[in-house]
């Protein structure tokens, strides 16, 4: 099911860029992906790019929203396998 990878204050940051490492060590699948998130105060938008994987498809898909004043980067796993996520976030102030 969908889960929150990261969140930040919508009143403080307009956009963020993520470098995300995803690991499914059970099946030996790995992925690195970049995601950019921007918001207009009421809606959030995400674009993923630069994916590199040793598998035939992505391990996660991504979405973004605003909830209780926070911009959230959300992830949806493509399988029921447990994945580990590490990320770096760079933000831009409003």
């Amino acid at each position: 099911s969908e889960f929150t990878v990261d969140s930040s204050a919508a009143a403080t940051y307009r956009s963020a860029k993520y470098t995300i490492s995803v690991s499914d060590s059970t099946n030996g699948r790995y992925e690195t992906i970049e995601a950019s998130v921007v918001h207009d105060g009421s809606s959030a938008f995400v674009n993923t790019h630069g994916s590199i994987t040793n598998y035939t498809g992505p391990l996660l898909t991504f979405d973004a929203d605003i909830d209780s004043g926070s911009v959230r980067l959300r992830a949806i796993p493509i399988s029921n396998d447990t994945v580990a996520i590490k990320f770096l976030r760079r933000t831009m102030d409003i």
Side-chain angles (χ1 to χ4, degrees), residues 11-64:
T12 305
Y13 302 112
R14 173 68 62 207
S15 62
K17 186 170 185 174
Y18 294 86
T19 301
I20 304 162
S21 175
V22 184
S23 172
D24 172 4
S25 58
T26 301
N27 297 304
R29 298 183 297 189
Y30 306 96
E31 180 178 19
T32 298
I33 190 165
E34 290 191 357
S36 297
V37 178
V38 67
H39 73 88
D40 61 10
S42 58
S43 298
F45 309 91
V46 64
N47 180 287
T48 57
H49 46 278
S51 174
I52 302 170
T53 181
N54 72 334
Y55 184 62
T56 58
L59 297 175
L60 301 171
T61 58
F62 293 91
D63 193 9

Side-chain angles (χ1 to χ4, degrees), residues 7-11 41-42 65-72:
S7 64
S8 59
S42 58
D65 66 9
I66 296 179
D67 183 59
S68 300
S70 293
V71 178
R72 303 185 305 174

